[in-house]
Amino acid sequence: MWADPGGRRVSLLLRDVVVEGRLVDVRVSDGTIAAIGRPLDPAPGEEVVDGGRGALLPGLHDHHIHLVALAAAERAPFVGPPAVNDGDQLTVALRRADTALGDGEWLGAIGYHESVSGPLDRWRLDALVETRPVRVQHRSGAEWVLNSRALAAVGLDGGEHSDRPGVERDEAGRVTGRLRGLDRWLGDRMPPAPAPDLAAVGRRLSRYGVTGVTDATPVMSLDDLGPVAAAATRGDLPQRITVTGGPRLATAAPPAPLARGPVKLVVADYAQPAHADLVRWIGAAHEAGRPVAVHCVTRPGLALALAAWDEAGVLAGDRIEHGSVVPPDLRARVAAHGLVIVTQPGFVLERGDRYLAEVHPGDLPHLYPCRSLIEAGIPVGGSTDAPFGHPDPWRAIATAVERRTIDGAPLGVREAVAPERALALFLTSPDAPGGMLRRVTVGAPADLCLLDAPLSRVLEEPSSSHVALTLHEGVMGPRN
Ligand SMILES: [Zn+2]
């Protein structure tokens, strides 16, 4: 960290970086971009970073994420669909969680199902993570698989409790690690799930070049925002954070340093509000001077939301979260209302194979659209919806271009956009997703993402592996 003891940010010189096609040096001072030119001479005591002729971009903004849920998932990963769809993804999820934990901490995963990831026993788990106790809960909730260290820790591996009913053994009489109906017994012997680690989330997003996020959780109480505000104040979350909150918080101000975003309204199959309620919530948000962000993932859900907007009217900044199915007739109404859509291109990759199997064929061509929306003049912002999607926006960018599922099947290729356009989904400001691109200019906040190569090269195969350095208000995040 490059803050002096007084908390002021010392100045920093980024040498040989490419800004909008121009090779320049960039001076960052006191949290903002102080100068752009070439050459700039280092001031006495100034930190100099060699940019290696890599592209310097505004930091990425993820327009829809859930920070606390992501932090929880980081330490106790959900290893069922849609996060994990096969054995390889199970491996990745468990190993990733392993690296996020401290020495000796238990790794607990939930949501496992053998039909997705294959059969699991202590030996397979040992091969994945050997150095710490691991417990994996079956989707049913009533079965667990423990690795050898975990079995030893609870006294089940040749220990005093090995003969308990519910402890499975193979033909050779060995404890397999599969336990049934022992939740209460295990609960008394295993440590409780670890507290969510928001600092790990902050570091991870920083490594992706993310300098801002909009937390789209429809929290019902300001207390729910406390942990995020505290983590942001400590610097554990170095990103600029905009929060939504549900209709009950329409008139409330979030705790500093969180910025107030739109009011989040949920129109879901499991929570379909009445038309009158929706109209009332939209009206109340607008009265408080706030736009709304309406969760719409089905065709009827979008139609219901549009009917409510017909009656309540539209405020600049009103937006549709997901817009998972937008057929042409509804698209025209979205455009006519001037509504924004915040999409998750990454779902095409992560959930696409399931969509191809399960979504109504009539809806498939209109699934997670992007290009058709932009062509209709609808502002489109990009997001990951992590932890429900992978938190790496570069994966979403690559998928917005490729439109392929994990198994490689094309899905809605007519909705593909050019790589620059896909990147732009993440370069707009939190209050105008899909609006004007933020730029690297003198006077702008030094929220920056330095790549290790020219932009054209990176966009040939978009990947967060190209993020060399992220600056949060001029302060360096962890180096990649
Ligand atoms: Zn969400």
Side-chain angles (χ1 to χ4, degrees):
M1 292 281 176
W2 300 100
D4 72 13
R8 271 184 315 118
R9 289 150 185 107
V10 261
S11 101
L12 184 75
L13 185 63
L14 298 169
R15 261 211 175 128
D16 289 341
V17 295
V18 177
V19 173
E20 297 177 8
R22 236 168 24 110
L23 182 65
V24 292
D25 301 337
V26 173
R27 168 163 292 126
V28 160
S29 181
D30 219 12
T32 58
I33 298 172
I36 300 179
R38 190 155 199 271
L40 296 179
D41 293 324
E46 189 171 51
E47 193 73 25
V48 178
V49 174
D50 177 13
R53 301 185 167 235
L56 184 67
L57 308 175
L60 277 60
H61 188 92
D62 189 330
H63 289 285
H64 181 132
I65 198 169
H66 303 277
L67 292 167
V68 171
L70 178 58
E74 195 98 359
R75 314 204 79 196
F78 185 84
V79 294
V84 165
N85 302 290
D86 59 33
D88 289 345
Q89 289 174 17
L90 177 72
T91 301
V92 170
L94 291 180
R95 292 209 168 130
R96 200 167 69 199
D98 179 38
T99 59
L101 293 167
D103 282 350
E105 281 187 279
W106 280 63
L107 193 168
I110 56 174
Y112 157 76
H113 199 270
E114 65 281 352
S115 70
V116 174
S117 312
L120 197 57
D121 57 26
R122 64 186 293 183
W123 298 288
R124 186 171 165 210
L125 272 183
D126 287 346
L128 296 177
V129 181
E130 201 183 12
T131 54
R132 70 173 74 251
V134 179
R135 62 188 199 215
V136 176
Q137 189 180 30
H138 190 267
R139 188 164 72 186
S140 66
E143 290 175 37
W144 292 81
V145 188
L146 272 56
N147 73 347
S148 294
R149 277 189 186 251
L151 289 169
V154 297
L156 284 179
D157 193 16
E160 47 181 324
H161 302 294
S162 302
D163 294 328
R164 288 192 75 85
V167 177
E168 187 189 80
R169 291 169 175 278
D170 65 9
E171 301 95 74
R174 299 176 302 174
V175 173
T176 64
R178 281 196 284 264
L179 313 171
R180 209 156 290 132
L182 289 175
D183 313 18
R184 290 254 310 268
W185 185 86
L186 279 171
D188 291 341
R189 283 161 183 80
M190 296 188 300
D197 181 3
L198 285 161
V201 168
R203 285 192 297 273
R204 184 152 175 213
L205 296 180
S206 193
R207 288 196 187 92
Y208 299 149
V210 173
T211 58
V213 297
T214 298
D215 190 307
T217 312
V219 293
M220 290 301 180
S221 152
L222 285 180
D223 291 345
D224 296 338
L225 296 171
V228 173
T233 302
R234 281 194 303 270
D236 285 353
L237 285 170
Q239 287 76 20
R240 276 173 209 276
I241 302 167
T242 299
V243 294
T244 57
R248 271 194 225 165
L249 296 182
T251 57
L258 309 180
R260 193 163 82 156
V263 175
K264 175 83 180 284
L265 306 178
V266 176
V267 178
D269 294 339
Y270 59 86
Q272 186 95 262
H275 170 77
D277 285 338
L278 204 46
V279 171
R280 192 163 47 80
W281 292 338
I282 294 174
H286 289 176
E287 208 158 290
R290 297 174 66 188
V292 290
V294 185
H295 166 111
C296 296
V297 293
T298 61
R299 192 189 284 244
L302 179 56
L304 180 72
L306 285 167
W309 264 306
D310 286 341
E311 197 170 325
V314 173
L315 185 70
D318 278 356
R319 52 194 249 190
I320 293 158
E321 305 301 294
H322 311 298
S324 316
V325 184
V326 190
D329 54 326
L330 298 183
R331 182 172 70 221
R333 290 175 60 197
V334 170
H337 272 316
L339 295 163
V340 172
I341 292 187
V342 171
T343 187
Q344 294 78 39
F347 284 169
V348 169
L349 176 77
E350 294 160 18
R351 306 184 180 189
D353 293 303
R354 211 156 44 92
Y355 293 150
L356 287 168
E358 294 173 10
V359 168
H360 188 278
D363 281 347
L364 277 178
H366 314 301
L367 208 57
Y368 285 96
C370 194
R371 184 182 180 155
S372 65
L373 303 179
I374 293 168
E375 285 178 352
I378 298 167
V380 182
S383 66
T384 65
D385 199 12
F388 307 105
H390 193 286
D392 183 349
W394 295 90
R395 274 171 57 125
I397 291 164
T399 304
V401 177
E402 297 269 325
R403 298 288 304 196
R404 278 185 190 279
T405 69
I406 282 177
D407 285 353
L411 177 55
V413 287
R414 288 172 58 191
E415 294 294 345
V417 295
E420 298 75 21
R421 197 67 196 71
L423 172 63
L425 297 172
F426 291 90
L427 293 183
T428 51
S429 77
D431 47 2
M436 294 270 284
L437 296 190
R438 288 174 295 120
R439 294 183 59 203
V440 178
T441 52
V442 173
D447 290 350
L448 299 167
C449 169
L450 175 65
L451 304 178
D452 67 358
L455 186 57
S456 55
R457 264 247 328 273
V458 171
L459 290 180
E460 282 168 18
E461 218 168 317
S463 157
S464 56
S465 65
H466 288 294
V467 176
L469 177 67
T470 303
L471 294 183
H472 304 275
E473 284 188 82
V475 178
M476 285 201 221
R479 303 282 306 244
N480 282 349

